[in-house]
């Protein structure tokens, strides 16, 4: 595989799903999706602890809904689009909603 051949997959995981490592081995991750004009995205990012699952959608009323599942051994900082700050999350399933004014 050429280095540029993997770029679309990396961009999807790191930008559209928003999953990036914050500590070695994904002991801590950032989840900060960038919708890029899309209505929804869903995927899993492999880590040494198991996959980080992310699913998000923008509803017709403008609400942004995010669902994440973190494996044991992974902590995360989660930030929804337009939110001023991130919130901590531990292993397990989490749901977030941000409504736009």
């Amino acid at each position: 595989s050429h280095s540029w051949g993997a770029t679309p997959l990396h961009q999807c995981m790191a930008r559209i799903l928003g999953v990036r490592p914050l500590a070695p081995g994904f002991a801590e991750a950032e989840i900060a999706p960038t919708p890029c004009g899309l209505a929804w995205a869903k995927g899993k990012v492999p880590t040494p602890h198991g996959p980080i699952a992310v699913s998000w959608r923008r509803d017709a009323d403008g609400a942004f809904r995010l669902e994440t599942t973190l494996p044991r051994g992974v902590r995360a900082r989660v930030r929804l689009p337009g939110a001023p700050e991130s919130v901590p999350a531990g292993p397990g399933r989490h749901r977030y909603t941000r409504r736009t004014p």
Side-chain angles (χ1 to χ4, degrees), residues 13-53:
M13 291 187 307
R15 297 197 188 269
I16 296 171
L17 294 179
V19 179
R20 296 179 191 94
L22 293 178
F26 271 97
E28 185 174 16
E30 174 184 53
I31 301 174
T34 305
C36 303
L38 299 173
W40 66 273
K42 182 177 181 178
K44 292 181 180 180
V45 177
T47 77
H49 306 279
I52 295 174

Side-chain angles (χ1 to χ4, degrees), residues 8-98:
L9 181 59
H10 170 75
Q11 295 300 322
C12 179
M13 291 187 307
R15 297 197 188 269
I16 296 171
L17 294 179
V19 179
R20 296 179 191 94
L22 293 178
F26 271 97
E28 185 174 16
E30 174 184 53
I31 301 174
T34 305
C36 303
L38 299 173
W40 66 273
K42 182 177 181 178
K44 292 181 180 180
V45 177
T47 77
H49 306 279
I52 295 174
V54 175
S55 174
W56 63 257
R57 73 177 188 272
R58 187 174 301 278
D59 292 342
D61 65 358
F64 187 88
R65 300 182 191 282
L66 171 69
E67 185 173 311
T68 65
T69 304
L70 301 172
R72 274 190 264 167
V74 176
R75 301 178 320 275
R77 301 290 309 169
V78 179
R79 187 172 46 81
L80 300 182
E85 296 181 9
S86 61
V87 295
R93 189 174 186 183
H94 306 277
R95 291 183 179 164
Y96 308 89
T97 300
R98 178 169 167 79

